[in-house]
Amino acid sequence: MSVTTTPEATTPPSGTPREPRSTTRSAAAARERSAVLESRIAQNPGEYRVLTGDRPTGALHLGHLLGTVENRVRLQNLGVEVFLIVADYQVITDRDDAGDLPATVREVLLDYLAAGVDPERSTVFTHSAVPALNQLLLPFLSLVTVAELERNPTVKAEAAVAAERGRRGSSGLLFTYPVHQAADILFCHGNLVPVGEDQLPHLETTRMVARRFNQRYSAAQPYFPEPDALIARSLTILGNDGAKMSKSRGNALELRASADETVAYFKRARTDPDRVITYEPDRRPEIANLLQIGAHFTGTAPETLADEMGSAGAGRLKDIVSEAVVEGLRPLRARRRELASAGPRYLAEVLATGNARANAIADRTLDEVRDLMGMRY
């Protein structure tokens, strides 16, 4: 996606000024802004509060680790205040059966902690445990139009996927997902959100909600920040079928997998018949994906690894990559087993502490929002 636009040709809710087209921001501009933000984070990380997270639809996989989780841990270790939401309410946006949510939430929490998330420095909490956060959805919905929600690219894409899989029509929760995400980010006054370029429209909705709330209820002194996008320095990982790695596609390598399962997974990876290994992401995406994964875990560049492989063939490349991943994930998997063997009490304590902190912040935010809206009786 090259350009992200604020929805046009819509009439904002009564009393809300129309944003000028100058608020339209390109992905290129977002990348430039991200470079500036990285410099500022390095100098003063305490100025930033990040909100990010995952839907607990299953244990996390390699794509999560390289795509988002490692970046979250990096920001945490730099000194940025990180809030990690386990978005259990969002599981039911596009499915009738949420499965065993408590068990899945525990698996996600194990993955977070094993990957380096420190509950002393990062706040991990669940959607359903923070009522005040979710209550912000009501006033926020009054700030957007139905047409704006209908045109959100991610809502359209998710609705198309749901239809393709034969599910019922889009739920109201899926339809309002961008505004619910705005509540997730703004309840804690998050001012920095790590995203991929394809997620910029969601963040633009959050910025729009914050801007319209401030214009309507707090014009003299803006209450909510308009959060910046930090374009994630991460990899988009393909599954062994050549499509984007996804739990729902069944093509993912879970972080909790064994060494043998890892080797077997990569043996099944799709490649191409060309024996000479080259790094050409557009022409040879499956080979490029293996090179990216291998390079990540060996601390080199994909081009360098390709040169080293030469005409060794895809079979040898798979062996190299599987060995690198097994060794690279060995500490994480050992830590995960250690945490799992300690029993559920520690995980429950981590989540209880995170939920309590999120609730304290959300309650204060909701009280202040009510004051600004004149709804304190």
Side-chain angles (χ1 to χ4, degrees), residues 52-354:
T52 183
D54 298 283
R55 295 201 308 167
T57 55
L60 301 187
H61 54 66
L62 186 63
H64 289 120
L65 181 69
L66 304 191
T68 58
V69 176
E70 286 188 339
N71 191 48
R72 298 166 186 172
V73 174
R74 179 185 72 89
L75 292 169
Q76 166 199 274
N77 293 344
L78 285 172
V80 174
E81 188 176 15
V82 175
F83 283 71
L84 266 176
I85 185 168
V86 183
D88 52 349
Y89 273 157
Q90 294 302 341
V91 174
I92 56 175
T93 57
D94 57 357
R95 61 193 67 199
D96 298 324
D97 183 3
D100 187 350
L101 266 179
T104 306
V105 168
R106 285 193 295 270
E107 293 299 313
V108 171
L109 189 54
L110 279 171
D111 288 327
Y112 281 164
L113 300 178
V117 171
D118 181 355
E120 297 295 325
R121 293 182 288 169
S122 295
T123 301
V124 185
F125 67 100
T126 54
H127 249 158
S128 60
V130 189
L133 182 166
N134 299 293
Q135 194 167 340
L136 289 173
L137 183 62
L138 295 176
F140 285 1
L141 281 172
S142 75
L143 301 171
V144 300
T145 67
V146 170
E148 287 168 332
L149 292 175
E150 286 177 334
R151 283 198 293 273
N152 184 280
T154 308
V155 169
K156 290 166 67 176
E158 291 292 337
V161 169
E164 182 181 317
R165 294 176 181 169
R167 298 186 183 127
R168 58 185 169 82
S170 299
S171 70
L173 186 56
L174 175 61
F175 188 66
T176 58
Y177 172 77
V179 183
H180 202 174
Q181 188 176 62
D184 296 342
I185 296 167
L186 296 177
F187 97 93
C188 64
H189 291 253
N191 58 2
L192 191 66
V193 184
V195 294
E197 290 180 15
D198 61 335
Q199 296 170 308
L200 285 171
H202 268 337
L203 186 57
E204 196 61 38
T205 298
T206 299
R207 291 169 56 83
M208 180 180 68
V209 167
R211 185 165 55 249
R212 289 180 178 175
F213 183 92
N214 293 337
Q215 289 169 339
R216 183 180 290 190
Y217 299 112
S218 186
Q221 183 175 353
Y223 177 70
F224 286 117
E226 294 185 35
D228 267 307
L230 186 69
I231 302 300
R233 301 189 301 180
S234 58
L235 299 175
T236 297
I237 302 300
L238 304 183
N240 58 4
D241 62 353
K244 184 177 179 180
M245 189 173 287
S246 167
K247 289 172 286 190
S248 62
R249 288 188 63 93
N251 67 353
L253 175 66
E254 293 185 341
L255 298 180
R256 64 184 179 182
S258 68
D260 287 344
E261 288 169 337
T262 301
V263 172
Y265 174 87
F266 283 108
K267 283 188 180 297
R268 297 192 302 271
R270 179 178 295 176
T271 56
D272 60 47
D274 192 341
R275 186 166 185 80
V276 177
I277 302 301
T278 58
Y279 182 64
E280 300 175 78
D282 292 333
R283 189 174 75 87
R284 308 180 70 188
E286 295 92 353
I287 293 293
N289 181 64
L290 289 172
L291 288 168
Q292 286 178 332
I293 295 171
H296 179 85
F297 284 103
T298 56
T300 187
E303 296 88 347
T304 302
L305 182 56
D307 290 342
E308 293 173 356
M309 293 298 303
S311 59
R316 179 56 182 156
L317 176 60
K318 292 179 183 181
D319 291 341
I320 293 293
V321 172
S322 60
E323 291 168 10
V325 173
V326 167
E327 289 305 312
L329 292 183
R330 194 180 298 280
L332 182 154
R333 287 167 169 169
R335 173 64 174 155
R336 197 183 194 284
R337 287 192 298 271
E338 178 185 347
L339 289 165
S341 66
R345 177 174 295 182
Y346 174 66
L347 297 179
E349 289 173 354
V350 167
L351 207 51
T353 300

